[in-house]
Structures are given as structure tokens and as C-alpha cells.
């Protein structure tokens, strides 16, 4: 065989391999599209949040049969995924394969803990069904009629929740009483004597021009009838069930370890949320080390501010001095919006790519504000028809210090969650599950890392703003200690509250709400600091390796260009990125642990 024939043969082999890779990738992406559709059908609320209106007239089916069907579908999906030959996939499709496999494997492992038998939370549950109006468009008559159908279906949804709650009572799967004591007031807020006062009536208080005046009156009348004849009686009955049966049976303990198979459950939660194999003991130790480091930095800022007292006295000053608080909810909202406007023009200092999707600042709904966190982010619709929103808590302005606003806004809005979610939606050629992925360690780690980018953008010129950044970093470090403390080491709720208060200037109300959140959601809060530490470590590694070639804007873009992924996947990507910037051959990827192919 002459040299020309050999080259031609090698080209034919390469083209054949490329064709096989393309065919397998097409099949895989068709599978992902099928799975995405399954998810939308199984969770109408998730479909609504994504901007898909097809299922806006219904709630998720919480019957035992539907739950079992969803669990079986996850098991079948994993088996189908393993039918693909991973070796025939492109590197991008291998990343998609590995990511979806990770999600399915943990969804299946989670099934044995039967979380659905604890269907009521003080931060979410059937008493807050109305909250979905925040993501619904209400652009035309159909949207209002879909909402009327959901109102009509509220009694059936509450009956399903009661049935699950009773099964949980029988099997000893009960939430802590200290949290459930918050719920009666939330249920009572749904029992109104005037339909216009119901949170479910909110969409009917205003209409777009596309809905004629005579139709508006018809819609309002039907909404009022459904609320008074269906919704209110259903919540009144649900309240009786909760107050008379469920609340008295709630458990006195707070630790996840006290649930049936509780230790295994907490270990699973810690691994799931951090996307690592760190143990509770290791995470607790990391937390203690970080608390000590941040405490030292706080002492320096206290001295810069010219405060002469102790750290405890400085915390009291920060929690109580009138200069740090707005007097009204309206003034507080305007202050949040002003802070966001300060951030926006500085983003080009640390990013080469700015996402196209806009964001806005909204108040957290009044009916949930007393029992929820200081702020949160609601992602935009995946089709771009709804912006992202930064929701801020205006309840009791006298406990919402202004020194926390900069760090909080950097985390929840830009360049934190809004950048992370919006850039994910812009991933080219990625399946929808990748565009909308939310791995907590990556996503919340990015949010905490984004707070620190305020220094690179020149936004922490005031010592009190710097204390706010340290307070927020301390908040996430304290989480490592108190979450593992309560769920794995026998800490009481009171001990956790006191430890938090001793090491943070956050107000008592915020501290209590946070501790109760960790009790309610074991392991989730561990992900923030673990994720931020990994991203910061990768930044330092890149800076050291690249020296004068290191570009912070390019690094930040590189972190976001993967979308939300497990931390080990992010690390592999950044290591390859460093090698590429340095002009080196990228390292060989680790072999997949998958059994696929």
C-alpha cells in the first residue's frame, strides 16, 4: 500500500468513527428530549416555571400511584441511558451523559428515604400553592382560565397531601415540631371571608389589555366563587387535619439522624448537595477552620471602621444602629434597586460575556415573607419570555441592615445566580436539562464566589460593606458547623442559634430563620461554602499556573461556560482550560465510572 492509499484509509476510518459518534449523539439527544418532556408532564409547576404553558391548568399528581410511576420511570431511564455506547459519543455528549447519569443515580438512591411522606414544610407546601402566580404570565384570557382550573383542583391536591401525611405519621417519618408550629398561621392566611383577600385572587386584581372588560368581570366572579366554595373550605379542613392530627404527632427532635435510616439519609444529603464524598466530620472541621479565618478578617475591618469595643459589641452595633436600617418597606425596596444599579456597570471588569436575559428586583410576597430568607432568585423562563427576578424580603425593615445589601445582591442577582442561570440557558447545542441544571455546590458556590468579586469590581470601598461581605461569608462557614452539628453531632437548636449569633452580626430573626431552614433541609446549606472553596481554589491554581497570562475575565467566563455541573466535572474543565491557555496539551480525562456501553 502506497503512502497516499494509507492516508485515504486513515481518513475513511476517521470519517466512519465520526459518523458513528454523530449517530450515537443524535440518539442520545433524542433520549434527553424525551426525558425533558417527561419531566414537564410529571411536574406542571416546573413546566410553568420554564415558561411552558401546556400544563398551567393542573398540579403535580401526588397520589401513591403517580409517585411510584415517576420512581419507576427514573429507574427505566437509567437503564435506557446505559444502553448507549459512551465511547462513541463526542466529548460534549459524554459530559451530558455523565451529568444525567449522576442525576438519575441519585434520584434513584433517594427513593428509599421516601421524602414524599413528609409533604409539609414551613417554607413550602400546600399552604403556599398560590406562590406559583409569581412565574405565570397572565397575558391573555387562557392564562386566567388555566388558573381557575388550578383553583378548582386545590381540594384534591390538599387531600393527596393529607393522605401522604397520614402515611408518614404511621411510619414515623415526621418533621420537627419546632418547624411545624409555624404552619398553622400560614394555613390560616388562606381562610378568608372576602375572596379578594385570598392570595389566590391576586391575578384578578389587574388584567392586560388583551382581556375585554366584560370577560374580566366573568373571570373575577368565577374566581370569587371557586375561592369561597372550593379553596377556603379545603384549607379550613386541611387546617383542622394539621392542627388536630399532624402537629401533635410531629417529632420533638431536630436531627435528620433521628429519622428512620436517618444517618444514611444525612450522609446521602451531604454528598448529594456538595457533589463530593466528604464526611460530616470533615465538613465540620472545614467549617471550624473557615470560621476562625473569617473571624480574624472581621477584627481587622472592625478596627478600620474605628470601633473601639469588642467583636460582640460591634455585632450589636451593626444589628441595632438606626443608620443601618430603612424605615419603610418601600424605602428598603428602593435601596435594593439602587444597589443593583451600582453593580451593573462594573460587571465588564470581571466578565467578557454578559448574558442577554435581563433581571429585575421584586419584593417577596407578604404571606411568606415572615418565614422565609432575606432574599432569593427566581430564574427566567427557558424560552426567554420571562426575565429573572431577585426577590427581597421587606418584612420588618428594622431587621434588614443595609450593610448586607451589596454582598446579598452580588450573590442573588448579578453576577451571582442571574449570571449562572442566564448563561446556562445560552449553552450552545446543550440539551434542556443541562441548560436548566442546578447542582447546589456549583450554583450556590458560584453565588458565594460572586460576592467576593465585589472586591475586583471596586464595590467594597466602605468598611461596613466589607463587613457585610465577611458576614455573609461567615454565614456560609457557620453553616458547615451548625448543619453537621445538629444533624450528625447531637447539637440542639439553641446551641446552633447561639453559635451562629456569636460569630455573625446577622439579626436574631435572620439567625432563627436560617437555623430552622437547616433543620428543615438537611445538608443543602453545606454546598455553598464547599462550592466556593473549590472555585476559589481553581482560580488560585489558574493564577499560579498562568502568571501574566491569567485573565480574570476569561477565568470567570470559563467557569460559567460549563453550566451547572458537579464540582469534579468543573475541576476537569478548568484544568483543561489552564492547559489550553498555557499552550500545553490538555490532560487526559478521567475514565467514566459509568457502566454504559
Amino acid at each position: 500500500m502506497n503512502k497516499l492509499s494509507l492516508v485515504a484509509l486513515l481518513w475513511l476510518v476517521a470519517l466512519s468513527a465520526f459518523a458513528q459518534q454523530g449517530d450515537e449523539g443524535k440518539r442520545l439527544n433524542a433520549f434527553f428530549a424525551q426525558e425533558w418532556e417527561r419531566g414537564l408532564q410529571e411536574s406542571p409547576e416546573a413546566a410553568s416555571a420554564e415558561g411552558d404553558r401546556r400544563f398551567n391548568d393542573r398540579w403535580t399528581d401526588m397520589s401513591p400511584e403517580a409517585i411510584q410511576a415517576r420512581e419507576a420511570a427514573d429507574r427505566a431511564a437509567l437503564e435506557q441511558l446505559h444502553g448507549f455506547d459512551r465511547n462513541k459519543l463526542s466529548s460534549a455528549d459524554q459530559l451530558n451523559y455523565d451529568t444525567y447519569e449522576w442525576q438519575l443515580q441519585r434520584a434513584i438512591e433517594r427513593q428509599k428515604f421516601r421524602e414524599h411522606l413528609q409533604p409539609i414544610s414551613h417554607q413550602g407546601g400546600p399552604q403556599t400553592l398560590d406562590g406559583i402566580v409569581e412565574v405565570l404570565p397572565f397575558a391573555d384570557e387562557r392564562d386566567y382560565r388555566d388558573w381557575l382550573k388550578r383553583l378548582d383542583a386545590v381540594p384534591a391536591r390538599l387531600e393527596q397531601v393529607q393522605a401522604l401525611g397520614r402515611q408518614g405519621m404511621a411510619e414515623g417519618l415526621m418533621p420537627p415540631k419546632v418547624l411545624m408550629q409555624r404552619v398553622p398561621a400560614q394555613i390560616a392566611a388562606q381562610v378568608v371571608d372576602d375572596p379578594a383577600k385570598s392570595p389566590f385572587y391576586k391575578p384578578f386584581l389587574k388584567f392586560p389589555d388583551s382581556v375585554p372588560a366584560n370577560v374580566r368581570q366573568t373571570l373575577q366572579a368565577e374566581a370569587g366563587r371557586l375561592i369561597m366554595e372550593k379553596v377556603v373550605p379545603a384549607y379550613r379542613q386541611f387546617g383542622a387535619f394539621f392542627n388536630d392530627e399532624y402537629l401533635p404527632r410531629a417529632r420533638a427532635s431536630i436531627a435528620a439522624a433521628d429519622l428512620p435510616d436517618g444517618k444514611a439519609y444525612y450522609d446521602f444529603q451531604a454528598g448529594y448537595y456538595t457533589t463530593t464524598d466528604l464526611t460530616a466530620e470533615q465538613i465540620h472541621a472545614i467549617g471550624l477552620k473557615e470560621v476562625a479565618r473569617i473571624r480574624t478578617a472581621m477584627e481587622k475591618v472592625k478596627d478600620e471602621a474605628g470601633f473601639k469595643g469588642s467583636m460582640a459589641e460591634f455585632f450589636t452595633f451593626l444589628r441595632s444602629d438606626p443608620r443601618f436600617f430603612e424605615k419603610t418597606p418601600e424605602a428598603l425596596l428602593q435601596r435594593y434597586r439602587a444597589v443593583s444599579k451600582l453593580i451593573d456597570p462594573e460587571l465588564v471588569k470581571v466578565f467578557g460575556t454578559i448574558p442577554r436575559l435581563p433581571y429585575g428586583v421584586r419584593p417577596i410576597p407578604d404571606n411568606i415573607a415572615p418565614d422565609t430568607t432575606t432574599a432569593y432568585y427566581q430564574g427566567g423562563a427557558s424560552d426567554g419570555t420571562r426575565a429573572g427576578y431577585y426577590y427581597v424580603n421587606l418584612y420588618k425593615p428594622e431587621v434588614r441592615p443595609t450593610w448586607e445589601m451589596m454582598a446579598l445582591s452580588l450573590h442573588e442577582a448579578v453576577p451571582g445566580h442571574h449570571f449562572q442561570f442566564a448563561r446556562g440557558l445560552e449553552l450552545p447545542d446543550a440539551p434542556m436539562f443541562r441548560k436548566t441544571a442546578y447542582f447546589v455546590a456549583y450554583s450556590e458556590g458560584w453565588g458565594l464566589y460572586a460576592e467576593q468579586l465585589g472586591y475586583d469590581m471596586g464595590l467594597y470601598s466602605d468598611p461596613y460593606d466589607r463587613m457585610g461581605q465577611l458576614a455573609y461569608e461567615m454565614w456560609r462557614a457557620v453553616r458547615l458547623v451548625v448543619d453537621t452539628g445538629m444533624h450528625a453531632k447531637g447539637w440542639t437548636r439553641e446551641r446552633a442559634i447561639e453559635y451562629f449569633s456569636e460569630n455573625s452580626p446577622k439579626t436574631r430573626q435572620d439567625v432563627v430563620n436560617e437555623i430552622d431552614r437547616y433543620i428543615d433541609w438537611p445538608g443543602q446549606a453545606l454546598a455553598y461554602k464547599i462550592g466556593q472553596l473549590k472555585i476559589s481554589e481553581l482560580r488560585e491554581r489558574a493564577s499560579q499556573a498562568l502568571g501574566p497570562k491569567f485573565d480574570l475575565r476569561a477565568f470567570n467566563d470559563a467557569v460559567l461556560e460549563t453550566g451547572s455541573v458537579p464540582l469534579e466535572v468543573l475541576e476537569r474543565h478548568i484544568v483543561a482550560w489552564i492547559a489550553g491557555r498555557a499552550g500545553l496539551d490538555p490532560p487526559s480525562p478521567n475514565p467514566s465510572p459509568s457502566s454504559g456501553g
Side-chain angles (χ1 to χ4, degrees):
M1 181 180 294
N2 61 37
K3 186 174 181 181
L4 187 61
S5 298
L6 179 60
V7 170
L9 178 61
L10 291 173
W11 267 106
L12 285 172
V13 170
L15 286 172
S16 175
F18 184 77
Q20 289 182 358
Q21 187 181 83
D23 289 343
E24 196 74 353
K26 288 178 182 177
R27 290 178 55 237
L28 180 67
N29 281 285
F31 164 75
F32 288 145
Q34 165 194 309
E35 281 291 283
W36 177 255
E37 178 64 20
R38 172 171 77 93
L40 296 176
Q41 293 182 13
E42 289 179 349
S43 177
E45 296 89 343
S48 295
E50 294 297 340
D52 190 324
R53 301 168 69 196
R54 290 176 297 160
F55 314 109
N56 281 359
D57 60 349
R58 68 198 75 172
W59 305 106
T60 298
D61 187 348
M62 298 301 293
S63 67
E65 297 78 15
I67 292 169
Q68 290 168 10
R70 290 194 289 269
E71 291 179 344
D74 280 344
R75 295 192 295 271
L78 183 61
E79 185 175 348
Q80 188 175 352
L81 181 67
H82 285 166
F84 293 95
D85 188 341
R86 185 181 180 280
N87 294 322
K88 291 181 179 179
L89 298 172
S90 67
S91 58
D93 284 333
Q94 286 179 347
L95 173 59
N96 296 336
Y97 178 106
D98 294 344
T99 304
Y100 202 63
E101 181 186 49
W102 193 98
Q103 290 178 308
L104 283 173
Q105 286 173 334
R106 280 147 190 84
I108 292 165
E109 185 179 357
R110 184 181 292 281
Q111 292 176 10
K112 66 185 177 184
F113 300 116
R114 297 174 299 161
E115 291 172 309
H116 59 275
L117 297 185
Q118 296 185 76
I120 305 170
S121 163
H122 77 289
Q123 293 195 112
Q127 74 276 19
T128 62
L129 285 176
D130 61 277
I132 198 173
V133 300
E134 296 290 324
V135 300
L136 297 176
F138 294 107
D140 55 34
E141 182 179 346
R142 172 193 163 182
D143 291 326
Y144 287 88
R145 294 204 177 277
D146 282 345
W147 185 240
L148 291 175
K149 290 178 182 177
R150 269 181 165 155
L151 295 188
D152 193 47
V154 165
R157 175 60 178 264
L158 295 183
E159 288 172 5
Q160 289 182 337
V161 171
Q162 287 183 56
L164 293 174
R166 286 196 173 98
Q167 187 179 348
M169 288 163 58
E171 299 188 23
L173 285 163
M174 293 296 291
K177 182 170 289 187
V178 69
L179 304 184
M180 292 300 96
Q181 288 170 343
R182 291 173 174 251
V183 175
Q186 298 171 354
I187 300 173
Q190 300 288 6
V191 181
V192 297
D193 54 9
D194 177 356
K197 295 179 180 177
S198 169
F200 286 93
Y201 192 82
K202 182 179 178 181
F204 301 96
L205 295 174
K206 62 179 181 178
F207 292 89
D209 293 340
S210 59
V211 181
N214 63 320
V215 175
R216 298 179 190 185
Q217 293 174 358
T218 301
L219 293 172
Q220 287 175 326
E222 181 63 5
R225 184 188 70 80
L226 287 171
I227 287 169
M228 298 314 296
E229 294 181 9
K230 294 282 191 85
V231 175
V232 169
Y235 275 107
R236 186 177 288 116
Q237 193 278 326
F238 182 72
F241 155 76
F242 185 87
N243 295 333
D244 298 340
E245 297 182 49
Y246 199 77
L247 180 58
R249 297 280 296 277
R251 59 188 169 96
S253 66
I254 60 171
D258 293 333
L259 291 166
D261 204 16
K263 184 181 184 304
Y265 176 58
Y266 186 65
D267 289 343
F268 168 81
Q269 290 283 88
Y272 173 78
Y273 285 118
T274 66
T275 67
T276 71
D277 57 3
L278 291 169
T279 66
E281 283 292 339
Q282 288 173 318
I283 293 170
H284 193 83
I286 292 170
L288 291 173
K289 182 178 179 181
E290 280 293 282
V291 167
R293 179 187 65 80
I294 299 165
R295 182 89 181 198
T296 299
M298 284 180 161
E299 290 282 357
K300 292 180 181 177
V301 173
K302 175 177 72 71
D303 293 342
E304 289 175 23
F307 191 86
K308 302 303 181 185
S310 67
M311 184 61 71
E313 290 169 333
F314 190 45
F315 286 169
T316 299
F317 166 69
L318 292 171
R319 293 175 187 135
S320 59
D321 193 285
R323 80 180 77 175
F324 299 124
F325 300 90
E326 297 291 348
K327 291 182 171 59
T328 67
E330 294 75 19
L332 187 60
L333 179 61
Q334 290 307 312
R335 184 72 171 262
Y336 272 115
R337 287 175 171 163
V339 168
S340 295
K341 291 296 183 184
L342 285 175
I343 297 170
D344 288 343
E346 308 303 326
L347 294 168
V348 293
K349 293 180 179 178
V350 290
F351 292 95
T353 302
I354 305 295
R356 295 185 297 272
L357 191 73
Y359 80 100
V361 184
R362 283 180 172 176
I364 291 174
D366 292 342
N367 62 314
I368 63 171
D371 298 306
T372 196
T373 55
T374 309
Y376 57 79
Y377 175 77
Q378 173 69 58
S382 56
D383 62 359
T385 57
R386 187 187 69 250
Y389 281 99
Y390 168 32
Y391 282 85
V392 294
N393 201 326
L394 307 182
Y395 176 71
K396 290 190 175 181
E398 67 273 17
V399 300
R400 310 286 173 193
T402 56
W403 47 257
E404 71 180 358
M405 287 183 171
M406 181 59 74
L408 181 61
S409 300
L410 289 164
H411 181 114
E412 298 293 347
V414 291
H417 289 323
H418 181 67
F419 266 43
Q420 180 256 305
F421 279 100
R423 284 290 309 277
L425 292 175
E426 295 173 6
L427 288 175
D429 304 320
M432 282 304 298
F433 88 90
R434 285 284 319 288
K435 290 175 181 284
T436 60
Y438 178 67
F439 290 87
V440 183
Y442 173 99
S443 301
E444 298 296 349
W446 172 261
L448 183 49
Y449 170 79
E451 294 174 24
Q452 298 175 352
L453 288 176
Y455 291 105
D456 300 294
M457 290 188 276
L459 294 169
Y460 289 128
S461 58
D462 185 281
Y464 297 112
D465 285 340
R466 291 200 295 280
M467 179 56 73
Q469 183 276 314
L470 290 171
Y472 267 55
E473 190 177 8
M474 177 67 88
W475 174 19
R476 282 41 171 262
V478 164
R479 285 175 170 177
L480 303 185
V481 179
V482 298
D483 195 291
T484 53
M486 290 188 294
H487 291 295
K489 298 176 72 67
W491 281 33
T492 64
R493 177 174 178 263
E494 290 68 30
R495 181 178 177 185
I497 290 171
E498 288 310 309
Y499 182 85
F500 198 145
S501 297
E502 288 168 4
N503 289 288
S504 167
K506 287 187 75 65
T507 62
R508 177 80 180 187
Q509 169 137 354
D510 275 350
V511 169
V512 171
N513 279 348
E514 283 297 313
I515 293 298
D516 285 351
R517 171 189 162 188
Y518 310 152
I519 295 170
D520 182 56
W521 206 351
Q524 189 269 354
L526 304 176
Y528 297 62
K529 191 63 180 163
I530 297 299
Q532 175 260 312
L533 287 171
K534 175 55 68 176
I535 295 172
S536 297
E537 172 202 319
L538 293 173
R539 171 173 164 169
E540 179 61 23
R541 193 188 308 184
S543 178
Q544 291 293 326
L546 296 175
K549 290 184 177 181
F550 177 74
D551 180 346
L552 179 59
R553 297 164 81 241
F555 172 81
N556 291 333
D557 287 348
V559 173
L560 289 178
E561 71 188 9
T562 65
S564 190
V565 290
L567 293 180
E568 63 179 22
V569 175
L570 174 64
E571 182 166 8
R572 286 200 299 269
H573 170 73
I574 293 298
V575 168
W577 177 84
I578 293 170
R581 302 284 287 195
L584 304 173
D585 291 331
S588 299
N590 294 333
S592 169
S594 162
S595 58

